[in-house]
Amino acid sequence: MANSWRRERWDSLRLLTPNWQSRLPGLRYEGPDPDGYMTVGEVIEFIERFAKVSRAPVRAGVNVTSVRQADDGYHVTTSDGEIHSRTVVIASGACNRPAQPPFSAAVPASVGQVTSFGYRDPAQLPEGGVLIVGASATGVQLAAELRRSGRPVTVSVGEHVRLPRTYRGRDVLWWMDASGIWGQRYDEVEDLTRARRLPSPQLVGTPERTTLDLNALASMGVELVGRWAAVRDGRALLSGGLRNVFSLADLKMERLLDTFDEWAKAEGYDAEVGLPERFAATRVPESTRLQLDLRSGEIATIVWATGFRPDYGWLHVPVVDAKGQLKHEGGVVDSAGLYALGLPVLRRRKSTFICGIEDDAREVIDHLARYLAMHW
Ligand SMILES: Cc1cc2nc3c(=O)[nH]c(=O)nc-3n(C[C@H](O)[C@H](O)[C@H](O)COP(=O)(O)OP(=O)(O)OC[C@H]3O[C@@H](n4cnc5c(N)ncnc54)[C@H](O)[C@@H]3O)c2cc1C
């Protein structure tokens, strides 16, 4: 885990989960600022401390290059020798590679392209306009940072999850946690495939606890355009219908806030938190461009903030589907003795968050222990 935070994150990133929510088995945040958000350096320290506290036999800097089925388990080849194991838990992460649409290959060579893995800070980009593709957590955070650096910024917006940073005086993730939404189990989620593909919420962790939604970006002078559909003759072709995309996100946020309110009322929390709030609808620009000429010089750099994919290139067991996702039922992979952790809604909605690992791990490891007891 520390490796991904050391190598694949930009400089200004902070967790979007508050410090009190950073908890791993036997380790909790105990610093002076429970409502703050950790910097990348602090996340690395936290994970390194966990390696010590848990006394797990961590072998850092060792790459697994192949996992194959063997007669009584799995044969694992690493950059530091071979391992034979009856069981394997795949915890290699859900975000190993940035996702990039195939049409990025048709972008004219005069325009620079960078993903969130390659991006570090605004100074790294040449002067000139930036087109950010994607308006989830990564896209909105980089849009704000690059706009503040003085560059013209355009954001291409597709489906997104809008959330206020705070609601009724508490962090919105307190509500997700306390109301039980984050703890909702995978077998209770109505449309699991959809829940697993949901983009990250538009949130940023700043000391001021600011909300960073599309209205905030527009107020900073960021131009909003529709989802990027194709490249033709050096032009980015963008979908219309921003109004629908915005109202869907607004509607979903309202429904979520209704759920919070109902929960607070039912559980007698109304007196402890502020009054219910409702937020202005996402403002639809008076006119939106449906094309951007990528050869005009207006856009110097494209930042792909279009999500991430896992990488199972090293897994030589037929358990990966055509879309590159692991086939599993609550972390029990489709091959005896093989398990997974840390994938979207693996067992709960919070499965990919630091605070979500513990509950999932307990259940998955229970299954693993029973498997070992039955087979050996
Ligand atoms: C930009 C971004 C922001 C995030 N913000 C938050 C946040 O605010 N709060 C939060 O709780 N979560 C956040 N997350 C989710 C975050 O991924 C998890 O909190 C946490 O890092 C998941 O831990 P993990 O161990 O499951 O996966 P990862 O952190 O991805 O760790 C997987 C590890 O496996 C290693 N690995 C992969 N393949 C191999 C191999 N073949 N051999 C050896 N090692 C391998 C990787 O190098 C990595 O070290 C964020 C994720 C991203 C991408």
Side-chain angles (χ1 to χ4, degrees):
M1 194 199 267
N3 185 52
S4 65
W5 283 93
R6 204 171 270 131
R7 293 177 207 280
E8 297 162 0
R9 308 284 190 260
W10 57 97
D11 292 353
S12 67
L13 180 68
R14 285 174 180 265
L15 285 189
L16 49 80
T17 41
N19 289 335
W20 60 264
Q21 228 165 25
S22 289
R23 45 185 187 229
L24 289 167
L27 182 66
R28 270 159 204 276
Y29 174 87
E30 276 165 0
D33 187 17
D35 293 326
Y37 307 91
M38 285 187 197
T39 61
V40 170
E42 288 165 342
V43 179
I44 294 168
E45 267 174 40
F46 185 76
I47 297 166
E48 284 175 347
R49 205 164 343 124
F50 177 66
K52 286 197 189 109
V53 170
S54 67
R55 287 188 282 159
V58 176
R59 289 167 68 185
V62 178
N63 206 19
V64 172
T65 53
S66 147
V67 172
R68 289 177 196 281
Q69 247 160 337
D71 287 344
D72 55 349
Y74 295 91
H75 191 79
V76 180
T77 306
T78 80
S79 52
D80 187 33
E82 313 282 319
I83 300 170
H84 184 80
S85 182
R86 289 168 182 173
T87 57
V88 172
V89 180
I90 300 170
S92 50
C95 305
N96 308 118
R97 282 184 293 126
Q100 224 169 299
F103 59 71
S104 58
V107 168
S110 56
V111 179
Q113 298 187 52
V114 64
T115 69
S116 59
F117 273 26
Y119 175 84
R120 287 293 167 269
D121 64 26
Q124 166 200 1
L125 301 193
E127 286 302 310
V130 181
L131 170 60
I132 295 178
V133 192
S136 293
T138 302
V140 296
Q141 290 182 29
L142 298 189
E145 170 161 295
L146 285 159
R147 181 69 198 124
R148 277 194 296 266
S149 78
R151 289 176 174 77
V153 173
T154 307
V155 178
S156 163
V157 183
E159 187 191 351
H160 57 275
V161 177
R162 181 184 177 196
L163 285 184
R165 178 71 267 183
T166 56
Y167 182 61
R168 300 179 68 177
R170 300 274 176 104
D171 196 291
V172 76
L173 298 182
W174 176 85
W175 287 94
M176 292 293 277
D177 204 33
S179 67
I181 290 180
W182 255 12
Q184 197 182 11
R185 294 179 57 88
Y186 74 110
D187 41 13
E188 292 166 359
V189 170
E190 221 169 85
D191 185 345
L192 184 58
T193 309
R194 199 181 141 64
R196 285 184 168 160
R197 288 172 42 199
L198 217 57
S200 58
Q202 289 172 335
L203 283 177
V204 62
T206 58
E208 303 78 24
R209 301 170 101 193
T210 35
T211 291
L212 187 55
D213 56 15
L214 298 177
N215 283 346
L217 286 183
S219 302
M220 294 171 74
V222 169
E223 180 184 356
L224 304 176
V225 295
R227 190 185 160 83
W228 188 347
V231 178
R232 196 173 306 144
D233 302 330
R235 288 170 184 274
L237 306 187
L238 310 162
S239 315
L242 266 190
R243 184 179 298 279
N244 288 346
V245 176
F246 289 1
S247 44
L248 189 64
D250 289 351
L251 181 75
K252 286 190 182 156
M253 178 178 73
E254 298 248 329
R255 279 200 199 135
L256 184 67
L257 302 182
D258 287 344
T259 310
F260 292 162
D261 292 342
E262 284 157 21
W263 168 82
K265 194 168 185 191
E267 297 297 317
Y269 265 98
D270 269 344
E272 283 187 40
V273 292
L275 290 173
E277 297 171 79
R278 287 299 175 264
F279 300 91
T282 308
R283 294 191 298 275
V284 183
E286 271 170 30
S287 64
T288 34
R289 292 198 276 175
L290 297 176
Q291 293 193 5
L292 292 176
D293 186 353
L294 300 172
R295 291 164 308 192
S296 68
E298 179 197 348
I299 304 291
T301 311
I302 294 169
V303 179
W304 297 102
T306 31
F308 304 94
R309 299 272 179 276
D311 181 0
Y312 299 118
W314 46 270
L315 182 60
H316 303 294
V317 184
V319 289
V320 178
D321 69 17
K323 292 193 168 148
Q325 303 293 338
L326 204 59
K327 290 187 263 184
H328 69 92
E329 174 69 25
V332 181
V333 180
D334 232 2
S335 175
L338 201 55
Y339 295 87
L341 280 171
L343 299 178
V345 202
L346 184 110
R347 285 200 161 236
R348 292 169 177 78
R349 282 197 187 268
K350 62 180 174 182
S351 291
T352 36
F353 289 88
I354 292 170
C355 61
I357 296 287
E358 181 168 3
D359 289 347
D360 280 10
R362 191 163 290 124
E363 292 175 11
V364 168
I365 299 308
D366 260 3
H367 192 292
L368 184 153
R370 271 184 276 123
Y371 170 79
L372 281 178
M374 273 164 55
H375 290 84
W376 278 277

